Amino acid sequence: MPGILYIVPTPVGNLEDITYRAVRILKEADLILAEDTRTSSVLLHRYDIHGKLQSHHKFNEHQTAEIIKERILGGLNVALISDAGTPGISDPGFLLVRTCAAEGIEIQTLPGATACIPAIVSSGLPCDRFCFEGFLPVKKGRQTLLKALSTETRTMVFYESPYRLVKTLGQFAEYFGPDRECSVAREISKVHEEHRRGTLAEVRDWYQEHEPKGEIVIVVEGAPH
């Protein structure tokens, strides 16, 4: 009888942000696939989880997806985790899920932590309708996408590196207008969590004077109807 592929969200900051079910699944799984085994070992040790751990990341997922699929078909229950948040959301996972789904393997995705939802809810911007863009292309296609998003009327959510934050906010101000409202969420669910709100120009200027650190989520007001 085939096994099951479990997609298990892990905390984006505070290690207490994990469900009872997630801990149980990780303890019961025959194999745990982790984006970085060293990072995940900290969480697993916290909850006394000693299941077999194997690397599964963007550099090897094309080689391992078929192998993992065959192991699940052979009866193994496999849990997939990433460094933080829900696998597949700007993290490895999509390819394995698609491979298993095409084979008819049962996939159970647990509800749980992700950075984008706390960021948009805390932003004060409309969150009844929004679009998630994740990380923008670094080079090719970036300007084309920004131009297309300049007329997007829904609230927009982006992930960004702290090293590119000021540049990205500057480009947003250029393409969306400097007076468009935004919120930058930094280090969600961690000790130094911060939410900086204002216009794109104001928030860009703030981070030009205050070097950003940690994980970043940018929430930008949609274009007026």
Side-chain angles (χ1 to χ4, degrees):
M1 182 176 179
I4 298 171
L5 173 63
Y6 295 96
I7 310 301
V8 183
T10 54
V12 297
N14 193 314
L15 293 184
E16 294 178 355
D17 295 338
I18 190 168
T19 66
Y20 292 120
R21 183 184 174 203
V23 172
R24 176 179 62 80
I25 292 297
L26 291 174
K27 286 185 175 182
E28 294 176 354
D30 299 304
L31 176 65
I32 299 173
L33 302 177
E35 184 179 3
D36 186 324
T37 55
R38 295 167 298 180
T39 300
S40 297
S41 292
V42 176
L43 175 70
L44 299 183
H45 178 75
R46 169 72 176 270
Y47 289 99
D48 197 29
I49 298 169
H50 304 288
K52 188 176 181 181
L53 200 58
Q54 179 178 317
S55 293
H56 182 82
H57 45 72
K58 64 180 181 180
F59 300 109
N60 73 358
E61 61 180 343
H62 287 274
Q63 290 75 40
T64 60
E66 287 290 332
I67 297 172
I68 298 302
K69 178 197 74 175
E70 293 300 328
R71 298 187 71 180
I72 297 174
L73 288 173
L76 249 63
N77 289 321
V78 175
L80 173 66
I81 60 177
S82 62
D83 288 350
T86 301
I89 305 298
S90 294
D91 276 329
F94 164 71
L95 181 61
L96 179 60
V97 169
R98 183 173 66 176
T99 300
C100 290
E103 197 67 37
I105 290 171
E106 181 180 355
I107 300 165
Q108 293 189 18
T109 301
L110 281 61
T114 184
C116 64
I117 298 302
I120 189 172
V121 172
S122 299
S123 71
L125 295 170
C127 53
D128 54 335
R129 297 177 68 248
F130 64 90
C131 64
F132 174 73
E133 292 294 328
F135 288 98
L136 290 169
V138 176
K139 293 181 180 179
K140 187 176 180 180
R142 187 180 179 94
Q143 292 184 344
T144 301
L145 179 57
L146 288 172
K147 185 176 181 180
L149 290 174
S150 66
T151 57
E152 172 59 65
T153 57
R154 296 171 294 179
T155 301
M156 297 171 283
V157 185
F158 305 88
Y159 288 165
E160 189 51 282
S161 159
Y163 308 108
R164 291 194 296 266
L165 177 61
V166 171
K167 177 182 177 181
T168 295
L169 289 172
Q171 289 179 321
F172 285 174
E174 176 186 350
Y175 283 87
F176 304 160
D179 295 328
R180 190 86 70 91
E181 291 292 321
C182 74
S183 172
V184 171
R186 189 178 65 82
E187 294 289 80
I188 288 174
S189 189
K190 298 179 182 176
V191 174
H192 301 292
E193 179 172 346
E194 174 188 69
H195 297 265
R196 181 64 50 182
R197 304 174 183 87
T199 66
L200 285 168
E202 290 169 344
V203 177
R204 176 202 59 200
D205 292 347
W206 166 268
Y207 282 112
Q208 281 180 332
E209 300 296 327
H210 303 81
E211 183 182 1
K213 296 180 180 179
E215 303 292 330
I216 303 289
V217 184
I218 309 172
V219 183
V220 182
E221 177 186 21
H225 288 277

